[in-house]
Amino acid sequence: MHSLDTRVPAVLLRLDRNPFHHGTLGAVRSLGRAEVEVHLVADDAHGPVGRSRHLHRLHAPPAAPATPEDVRAALLRVAARVGRPAVLIPLDDAGALAVDAVADALADRYLLPLPTTGLPARLADKGSLAGLCARLGVAHPPTVTPSSPRAAADAVRDLGSPAVAKWSRPWLLPRERGLRSAVLVRSPREAAALHARTAEAGSRLLLQAYVPGGRDADWFVHGYAGRDGTVHGGGTGRKRRARPRRAGLTTVGEWTHDEGLWTLARRLLAALRHRGAFDLDFRRDSRTGTYHLLDFNPRPGAQFRLFADATGTDVVRAAHLDLTHRPVPAPAPRPGRVFVVENHAPLTALRARTAAEFAWSDADDPDPAAYLWRRWRRHVVRRSRTRLAHGAQEILLTLSTRAREASPALLSGTPATERAVTDA
């Protein structure tokens, strides 16, 4: 069992206001159990994570929408309270990009990996990622960036239906506006209507060819690239269940070693000279067996605890060890290990083997799960009421759309019927 330097605290940063972000709790528990003093900068004062006994202190994040300078100021205030240098680990894309933008101003207060300046932004932006894949020879779905609603409609005709529509910078999407990071569009009219909401979304709309796949098509690769480029604390995993079904947030994941995919991921990381945590999403084409890179998130994935190996090493522990110049143990893989997010997969949680790790439930730290279920029930009731109201609107929209299908005109103001593909 490795030993972390408990003299060095950890500061976790999450700008996303989602109170049900289980990856945050995983990071708090992983480091806290190793007796590292854990500070969390997030809006979790009334959330389950704030109830963890492994959390030393919760700090308020900057007000949304936060600029990199706002994040810098907030982190410097936290550093003053902590009183000594700390390992800094962003847990979402917005936080990772903000930290990269102001890394020089934080360097004397925090221990940070040193990626190529601006690289996290190019990786997280789904438009620039397509260009990087093309340059590096990594398979990526054919992608178009339409300039108008009419161009979006034409792109769907060229790519085929269904097509995948993605916002290039999903962390900028406004909350409670019904926009998802990626959706399936099944007609040119839907694509045109979605493009008309570009100003509201805050970033460009991308349209991608849909990669067909079967039950085992969706894969992910997690890990941490150390100061010398060596990858620690991760592996390749398969989505057994997701929300929405067969896509989106991983609710049941299994550590499934795929040597070809692991080699591809390490080759990509080396070519990019990436340093720090990463979460890659792939989809395997059922026709060719080719893995297509869909997303590159420059931070720990929410299900990173799936890859806690036999030495206890996971992504955030590898980061702490590397940034405090301590040796990271040789990998001790545990293929077959399962990770379950109970609030999204309750039946699987009831049937899960003892080898499974749960996102929330833990006998050693029971309060977050107890508080989660109280909040989750209210959340489900509220969403059910909203869906009932939206259901009536959807029926009217469907009837209206069918009535207009014979018309060649593109009505750019028509809301799209959005079918979720992923919540990256």
Side-chain angles (χ1 to χ4, degrees), residues 61-340:
T67 66
E69 284 304 310
D70 295 333
V71 173
R72 178 194 64 82
L75 288 174
L76 291 179
R77 287 194 295 271
V78 171
R81 296 188 187 114
V82 173
R84 58 196 188 278
V87 168
L88 176 59
I89 303 177
L91 297 176
D92 63 355
D93 289 344
L97 271 56
V99 168
D100 180 64
V102 296
D104 290 345
L106 301 174
D108 62 339
R109 307 290 184 90
Y110 290 100
L111 305 180
L112 297 165
L114 297 175
T116 303
T117 302
L119 178 61
R122 296 199 300 276
L123 296 173
D125 187 302
K126 301 181 191 310
S128 60
L129 178 62
L132 285 172
C133 287
R135 179 169 62 84
L136 298 173
V138 175
H140 187 77
T143 302
V144 177
T145 307
S147 58
S148 67
R150 186 174 294 276
D154 291 340
V156 170
R157 293 188 183 98
D158 293 338
L159 293 169
S161 178
V164 179
K166 294 183 176 182
W167 299 107
S168 62
R169 299 181 178 183
W171 59 91
L172 298 178
L173 291 173
R175 292 180 63 84
E176 308 300 335
R177 299 299 292 272
L179 288 170
R180 293 183 178 271
S181 61
V183 298
L184 282 180
V185 291
R186 300 184 181 275
S187 71
R189 186 181 294 276
E190 284 188 11
L194 192 58
H195 190 284
R197 303 183 70 179
T198 296
E200 182 183 351
S203 65
R204 299 174 297 165
L205 180 70
L206 309 177
L207 291 168
Q208 289 182 346
Y210 178 75
V211 178
R215 181 178 180 183
D216 297 333
D218 294 302
W219 292 70
F220 47 87
V221 183
H222 291 189
Y224 174 84
R227 290 171 291 112
D228 62 356
T230 302
V231 176
H232 306 283
T236 62
R238 178 174 63 88
K239 289 186 182 182
R240 285 176 36 183
R241 290 185 181 273
R243 185 176 179 87
R245 187 180 180 186
R246 295 189 182 179
L249 170 72
T250 300
T251 59
V252 182
E254 181 180 356
W255 189 337
T256 308
H257 181 66
D258 185 300
E259 186 60 34
L261 181 57
W262 185 238
T263 299
L264 171 62
R266 287 185 297 171
R267 178 171 66 82
L268 174 63
L269 293 162
L272 293 169
R273 299 179 64 84
H274 176 71
R275 298 293 183 268
F278 60 87
D279 167 17
L280 314 180
D281 288 322
F282 289 88
R283 187 168 177 83
R284 185 171 61 190
D285 191 325
S286 60
R287 301 164 299 187
T288 64
T290 302
Y291 285 100
H292 292 257
L293 179 64
L294 303 182
D295 292 307
F296 191 129
N297 303 302
R299 40 76 178 171
Q303 71 272 26
F304 78 91
R305 281 291 303 168
L306 171 66
F307 299 109
D309 70 11
T311 72
T313 305
D314 60 26
V315 170
V316 299
R317 288 192 180 187
H320 196 283
L321 288 164
D322 179 69
L323 294 172
T324 56
H325 294 253
R326 292 208 166 191
V328 183
R334 300 166 69 187
R337 195 164 189 266
V338 175
F339 182 84
V340 182

Side-chain angles (χ1 to χ4, degrees), residues 28-63:
V28 168
R29 284 173 169 167
S30 178
L31 295 170
R33 286 187 179 123
E35 299 184 356
V36 172
E37 182 179 293
V38 181
H39 296 257
L40 173 62
V41 184
D43 186 21
D44 276 349
H46 303 291
V49 178
R51 272 65 184 171
S52 174
R53 75 180 189 85
H54 297 291
L55 179 62
H56 180 78
R57 184 170 180 179
L58 183 66
H59 303 263

